[in-house]
Amino acid sequence: MFCGNKSPMLGRLPSFDYYRPATLDETLTAMERLNGNFCVLAGGTDLLVGMKERRGRHPALLDIKALPELAGIRADNGTLCLGATVTTRAIAQSPLVRERFPMLFQSMKLLGSMQIGNRATIGGNLANGSPAADGAPPLLALGASVKLVGKTKERWVPLDNFFIGPKKTIIEGELLAEVRIPTPPPSGRGIFYKLGPRNAPEDICIVSAAVYGVPDGGANGWKELRIALGAVAPTPIRARHAEERLRGQPLEPKLVEEAARIAADRDATPISDIRGSADYRREMVYVLVKRALEQIARDYPSAA
Ligand SMILES: Cc1cc2nc3c(=O)[nH]c(=O)nc-3n(C[C@H](O)[C@H](O)[C@H](O)COP(=O)(O)OP(=O)(O)OC[C@H]3O[C@@H](n4cnc5c(N)ncnc54)[C@H](O)[C@@H]3O)c2cc1C
C-alpha cells in the first residue's frame, strides 16, 4: 500500500525478542549465542523505520544503549574517541568537537531534527552503511578509524575500508564500539557542505561534501588535502582522482575548478532517485567541492 508521496506507509512493528545487556561482555556473549540471528539496536531511528516497512529479518534485537563501554566523548593522546552510542546531538554540543573538529560539528548539527539527533548514534550512522550518512564524509576526510569487537577478536579498521556497498559494511557479526579521529594540527581546516531537498537539517542529503586541508607552510601548498563525498556513489567515498590532481600544488582558481570537475565527473558515480537526478547530483558535487576549496584557499592565502 502506498501513500501520496509513493513512500510505503509505516505498519506496526513485527514481533521480536528483545535483549538489553548491561555490559559489553554480556552483549558479546549474547551475540555468540544468537549466532548471527540478531540485530543491534542503538537509537533505532533507521532500524525501527526499516522494521515497520518490513525490510530485512529481525528475529532478535540487542539494545546496546545501556552499555557503559560504548558511551562518552573523550580526548586521548591526540585522538578524539567517540563511543558508538554517543548521540549525534551530543557530538554537536561538545565544545571539544566544536573547537577542534568543526567539520564534524557542522555535519552533526545538520543531522536530522532535534528529536532524531537526541536518539541517533554515531555508531548507527556509520553501521547503517547509508551512502548519504552525514557523519561519513567528515570522518573519511579526517582519517577516522572504527573499532569492531566480537567475542574472540577485535580489530581497528580505517573508515576508508569500512563501507563496501549500499547498506553494506565489513561488519561480520561484530559490534562497532568506537570511532577514533586524529586531532588535526592547529593549521588544519575542514569544511562540510550538505545539500538537502529543502536545505532543512531534517532532510537526508542529496549531496554532501567534506574538504580537509593542512597547509605545508612552504611553496607546495598543502601537506594534506582530502575530499570526501556523500550520496553520489554506492558508499560514501574519498574523491581520490580530484585529490591526486591537487597534490603538491597551490590552490589556484583554475586548478580548483579542474579538481571540482574531476570530483564530479570521475569520482562521483551518482544514481537518480526521488531526491535528485544523477546529472543534478554531479553538478552539485562540482559546486560544493569548488566552493569548499575556494573557502579553504581564502582562509590560507599563503598556501593558495
Ligand atoms: C526522520 C529522519 C531523518 C533523518 N535524517 C538524517 C540526516 O539528516 N542525516 C543522516 O545521516 N541520517 C538521517 N537519518 C537516519 C538516521 O537517523 C541516522 O543514520 C542515525 O545516525 C542512525 O543511528 P541509530 O543509532 O538510530 O541507528 P539504529 O537505527 O539503531 O541502527 C541502524 C543500523 O546500524 C546497526 N547498528 C547500530 N549501531 C551499531 C553498532 N554500534 N554496531 C553494529 N551495528 C550497529 C543496526 O543494527 C542497524 O542495522 C534520519 C532518519 C529519520 C527517521
Side-chain angles (χ1 to χ4, degrees), residues 19-27 62-70:
Y19 301 90
R20 190 175 165 90
T23 66
L24 180 58
D25 200 47
E26 264 181 55
T27 312
L62 267 180
D63 186 341
I64 58 167
K65 269 277 194 158
L67 303 184
E69 297 91 337
L70 268 51

Side-chain angles (χ1 to χ4, degrees), residues 1-82:
M1 189 174 182
F2 293 93
C3 60
N5 65 4
K6 296 235 172 85
S7 62
M9 289 209 357
L10 295 184
R12 292 159 66 109
L13 278 174
S15 60
F16 55 86
D17 292 331
Y18 175 78
Y19 301 90
R20 190 175 165 90
T23 66
L24 180 58
D25 200 47
E26 264 181 55
T27 312
L28 298 177
T29 304
M31 285 163 66
E32 204 178 35
R33 186 167 39 79
L34 291 164
N35 193 23
N37 291 314
F38 68 89
C39 211
V40 172
L41 170 69
T45 60
D46 274 317
L47 183 64
L48 297 182
V49 174
M51 287 173 72
K52 287 186 170 190
E53 289 175 349
R54 299 294 196 272
R55 278 191 261 129
R57 280 184 64 247
H58 309 95
L61 297 192
L62 267 180
D63 186 341
I64 58 167
K65 269 277 194 158
L67 303 184
E69 297 91 337
L70 268 51
I73 302 176
R74 65 194 164 83
D76 178 22
N77 210 6
T79 307
L80 176 70
C81 310
L82 303 174

Side-chain angles (χ1 to χ4, degrees), residues 39-47 49 64 84 110-112 116 119-121 123-125 127-128 132-134 171 174-176 194 201-204:
C39 211
V40 172
L41 170 69
T45 60
D46 274 317
L47 183 64
V49 174
I64 58 167
L110 293 173
L111 191 153
I116 291 291
R119 294 289 313 167
T121 65
N125 193 240
N128 195 40
D134 280 338
I171 291 182
E174 298 153 300
L175 208 56
L176 193 165
K194 167 176 176 174
E202 59 270 30
D203 288 329
I204 306 278

Side-chain angles (χ1 to χ4, degrees), residues 253-278:
K254 205 162 164 298
L255 183 67
V256 164
E257 205 159 318
E258 205 184 312
R261 188 44 70 197
I262 291 173
D265 293 348
R266 289 194 65 194
D267 292 307
T269 53
I271 55 163
S272 300
D273 65 12
I274 50 164
R275 294 197 181 86
S277 69

